[in-house]
Amino acid sequence: MPLSASILEQLRDILGASQVLTLKEDLIPYSFDGTAALTQMPGCVAFVETAAQVQRVLQLANTLKVPVITRGSGTGLSGGSLPVADGIVLCTVRMNKILEVDRANLTMLVEPGVTTVQVADAAAAAGLFYPPDPGSMRISTIGGNVAENSGGLRGLKYGITRNYVMGLEVVLPDGQVLWTGNKCVKDVAGYSLKDLFVGSEGTLGVMTKVLLKLIPKPAAKKTMVATFDAMDRAAQTVSDIIAAQIIPCTLEFLDRTTIHCGEDFAKVGLPLDCEAVLLMETDGHPAAVDEEAATMAELARRNGALEVRLARDDAEATKLAAARRSAFSALARVAPTTILEDATVPRSELAKMIRFVEAIARKYQLRIGTFGHMGDGNLHPTFLTDERNHAEMHRVHEAFKEIFDEAIRLGGTITGEHGVGVAKKSFLPKFAGGAQMRVMRELRRALDPNGILNPGKMFD
Ligand SMILES: Cc1cc2nc3c(=O)[nH]c(=O)nc-3n(C[C@H](O)[C@H](O)[C@H](O)COP(=O)(O)OP(=O)(O)OC[C@H]3O[C@@H](n4cnc5c(N)ncnc54)[C@H](O)[C@@H]3O)c2cc1C
C-alpha cells in the first residue's frame, strides 16, 4: 500500500518539507544500490540530520508498521539498502559531522554519514591512522561500513571495521536510544552489544554516532607489484610470505581478465602478458619495512615472478595501488551487468578456490574476472554479464551456487565483507545452520518485534 498522505505529512513535520522526496524522478536514484540487477521503488526518501529526528521517524514507522530502510551512500553490494516497496528510505548522508578527534585516547567520534575517506583524512590530519579502506572509501559512509562490517585492502594486517568500533549510539526501532561501548580500552560490563550492531545490515537499529579507534601512523611504507605467468605461483608467494612471518599491510591479486580491463581503464603500465599480478605493501618502522620488502621481493622471484617492480615514491605507489582499487570499476565498463561476489576461504585454500572459479567459468561459459584480498582468502569473482540475457543469468545463478557450496566445503564463507542482504539470504541457512539461524531470528525479533527495519534482508 502506498505511503498515505498523512504519513508523508507527519514526516514533513518532523524533517521539513525539503527533506522528504516523493516524486518518481527523485526516488529513482534511491531505488537501487551497488548490487546488480536489483531495483525497487521506495514510498519516499527521508533525509535525517539529527538522532532526535531518527527517533521520531522510527516511532512513527513503528506505530504504523511501515518498513524503514536505512541508507548511507548506497554502494552496498548485497542489496542491503535496496528499498522495500512503499517503505521509507531513511538516508543518513546529511548526518555528516566529525564531532571529536581525541588525541589523548586515540579516538574519533563521528556521525554515520561521514565518508570513510573523511575519517581517514581527519585521522591523518591529526597525525593518526584509520586503517579500514574499502575500495569504495571515497563515497561509502562510516554508518554503511559499520552496518556491513566492511573490510578493505589493509585488512590482513590491520583488521576490518569491527576492530575499530569502540562505541555506538543506536536508535532502536521503537525510538529508544542506546549507547554501547566507550573510550575504555577494556570494558567487559555485560554483553558486547556494539558487536551485535556491527554487521547487522540495518536490521537491528539505526546508528547515529560511531566512536572509532585510531592508531599511530606507520612511519614508512613500501609498495611493489610482482607479475606471474600462473596464478598458483602468486598464491604460493602469498603462502611463503605468511610462512616467513611477514604480515604485509596489503596483499592483493588481479587475474588476467582483471589486469587487461584494469590496464584499459587506469593505464598503470601493468604488463599484459601475465596471468596474475600481486600488489604487496608493507608498512611500519623504516628498517623493518626495508627488510620485509626485500624478503617479499625475493620470495616472489623464487616463485618465478616475471617482474618485481618497487614503487620509487608515493606517487608511483598510489598509481600501482590504483590498479587494484579501480578493479571493480574497470570490470564494470566491459559488460552491461557486473556482479561482484566475495566468497572467502581459509588462506591455505585460496589457490584451490581460484582454480575452481576458473573451472566454473568454463563449465557455464561465463566471463569471470577475479581479484581480491589474497592475504585474507577473500576473493571477488566478478561476473561480466547482461541481466537482459535470461539464459545467461540462469547460468550465472547456477555458477554462484556451486561457488558458494565450494567455499563452504573448503571451510570458508558465503561473504567475507559485502554482507548477506537480499543477494545471499537464500545461502545463509546452509552456511549458518539451524541453531545460528534461530538465535539470529530471535535477536531480531527481540529488538524489532514489528519487523520494520530492513524487512526481507538477511532472512528469507
Ligand atoms: C566500487 C566498490 C568497491 C567496494 N569495495 C569494498 C571493499 O573493498 N570492502 C567492502 O567491505 N565493501 C566494499 N564495497 C561495498 C560497500 O561499499 C560497503 O558495503 C560499504 O560499507 C557500504 O557503505 P554505504 O554508505 O554505501 O552503505 P549503504 O550501501 O547505503 O548501506 C549498506 C547497509 O548498511 C545499512 N546502513 C547504512 N547506514 C546505516 C546506519 N547509519 N545505521 C544502520 N544501518 C545502516 C543499510 O541499511 C544497508 O543494509 C564496495 C562497493 C563498491 C561499489
Side-chain angles (χ1 to χ4, degrees):
M1 199 174 57
L3 288 176
S4 67
S6 144
I7 296 178
L8 293 173
E9 202 46 50
Q10 291 181 70
L11 285 172
R12 290 188 186 107
D13 275 352
I14 298 169
L15 305 172
S18 62
Q19 311 294 314
V20 182
L21 307 180
T22 52
L23 293 177
K24 187 177 174 197
E25 56 271 35
D26 289 336
L27 299 184
I28 288 171
Y30 299 89
S31 65
F32 53 89
D33 66 1
T35 322
L38 293 176
T39 58
Q40 177 63 60
M41 287 293 273
C44 76
V45 176
F47 292 98
V48 281
E49 290 182 0
T50 66
Q53 288 179 340
V54 175
Q55 263 186 297
R56 291 184 62 196
V57 173
L58 291 193
Q59 276 160 352
L60 174 70
N62 198 41
T63 309
L64 301 173
K65 299 194 175 50
V66 175
V68 175
I69 297 84
T70 312
R71 182 184 177 100
S73 292
T75 64
L77 292 171
S78 55
S81 56
L82 182 77
V84 169
D86 301 320
I88 300 170
V89 168
L90 183 123
C91 191
T92 59
V93 290
R94 295 183 187 166
M95 295 183 77
N96 55 6
K97 288 191 227 32
I98 294 179
L99 301 169
E100 181 194 65
V101 178
D102 180 346
R103 290 171 203 243
N105 286 303
L106 303 185
T107 61
M108 186 188 296
L109 183 67
V110 297
E111 293 185 328
V114 173
T115 61
T116 323
V117 77
Q118 285 169 333
V119 170
D121 288 350
L128 294 166
F129 186 34
Y130 177 72
D133 60 340
S136 51
M137 68 188 290
R138 294 204 164 277
I139 27 174
S140 65
T141 64
I142 207 73
N145 291 176
V146 176
E148 296 289 357
N149 190 16
S150 297
L153 275 62
R154 302 187 190 113
L156 172 63
K157 178 169 178 178
Y158 290 105
I160 53 180
T161 303
R162 178 185 301 286
N163 305 111
Y164 295 86
V165 178
M166 294 188 74
L168 291 173
E169 181 184 85
V170 184
V171 182
L172 299 175
D174 62 1
Q176 209 179 339
V177 180
L178 172 150
W179 241 113
T180 167
N182 49 51
K183 291 183 182 178
C184 298
V185 174
K186 290 171 145 187
D187 171 14
V188 294
Y191 295 137
S192 180
L193 289 185
K194 80 175 160 58
D195 286 299
L196 180 61
F197 290 101
V198 177
S200 62
E201 301 189 19
T203 63
L204 300 180
V206 179
M207 288 167 283
T208 45
K209 284 196 187 86
V210 185
L211 181 68
L212 294 166
K213 175 172 103 172
L214 305 176
I215 61 173
K217 208 168 151 187
K221 183 167 90 169
K222 280 202 165 162
T223 304
M224 66 189 105
V225 287
T227 54
F228 298 88
D229 62 4
M231 184 59 82
D232 274 2
R233 294 182 193 274
Q236 190 57 48
T237 303
V238 170
S239 298
D240 291 352
I241 289 172
I242 306 289
Q245 297 185 15
I246 296 173
I247 303 293
C249 64
T250 303
L251 207 42
E252 298 283 313
F253 78 100
L254 310 175
D255 75 351
R256 186 183 183 82
T257 303
T258 316
I259 297 164
H260 281 248
C261 296
E263 201 42 40
D264 267 359
F265 180 67
K267 312 235 175 322
V268 168
L270 295 178
L272 296 176
D273 54 349
C274 64
E275 290 297 321
V277 162
L278 256 192
L279 169 73
M280 306 184 278
E281 288 187 311
T282 165
D283 65 3
H285 188 281
V289 165
D290 283 347
E291 197 181 310
E292 286 183 359
T295 308
M296 283 156 62
E298 175 54 25
L299 290 172
R301 284 191 197 98
R302 264 194 235 160
N303 280 300
L306 303 170
E307 187 195 358
V308 181
R309 194 198 309 173
L310 182 70
R312 283 178 303 257
D313 50 31
D314 280 355
E316 196 179 353
T318 307
K319 200 171 162 196
L320 292 177
R324 163 60 186 90
R325 287 196 181 280
S326 58
F328 180 45
S329 315
L331 288 167
R333 293 164 74 232
V334 183
T337 307
T338 318
I339 306 182
L340 176 70
E341 270 315 329
D342 72 329
T344 302
V345 292
R347 290 188 275 237
S348 54
E349 305 296 335
L350 193 82
K352 220 180 275 173
M353 191 67 202
I354 292 170
R355 278 196 297 272
F356 184 81
V357 171
E358 286 168 354
I360 285 291
R362 285 192 296 275
K363 175 174 171 185
Y364 289 100
Q365 299 161 308
L366 295 169
R367 200 161 171 214
I368 307 180
T370 302
F371 61 96
H373 316 290
M374 204 163 211
D376 306 347
N378 181 197
L379 67 156
H380 292 311
T382 304
F383 291 70
L384 309 177
T385 179
D386 184 347
E387 63 190 280
R388 294 163 301 186
N389 180 339
H390 298 295
E392 186 166 293
M393 285 306 280
H394 178 71
R395 297 204 305 279
V396 167
H397 289 298
E398 291 303 304
F400 272 151
K401 278 193 218 155
E402 289 210 34
I403 288 174
F404 293 140
D405 281 349
E406 181 68 0
I408 296 172
R409 201 184 66 76
L410 292 173
T413 169
I414 56 171
T415 170
E417 55 183 17
H418 296 161
V420 175
V422 180
K424 281 183 222 164
K425 64 179 178 175
S426 62
F427 300 102
L428 187 63
K430 182 166 186 186
F431 170 71
Q436 273 205 82
M437 289 302 291
R438 182 183 63 77
V439 174
M440 288 195 279
R441 282 182 199 280
E442 284 178 6
L443 281 169
R444 167 134 168 88
R445 256 196 300 275
L447 289 169
D448 184 11
N450 291 326
I452 61 158
L453 282 186
N454 237 350
K457 310 290 172 67
M458 210 184 292
F459 308 106
D460 256 332

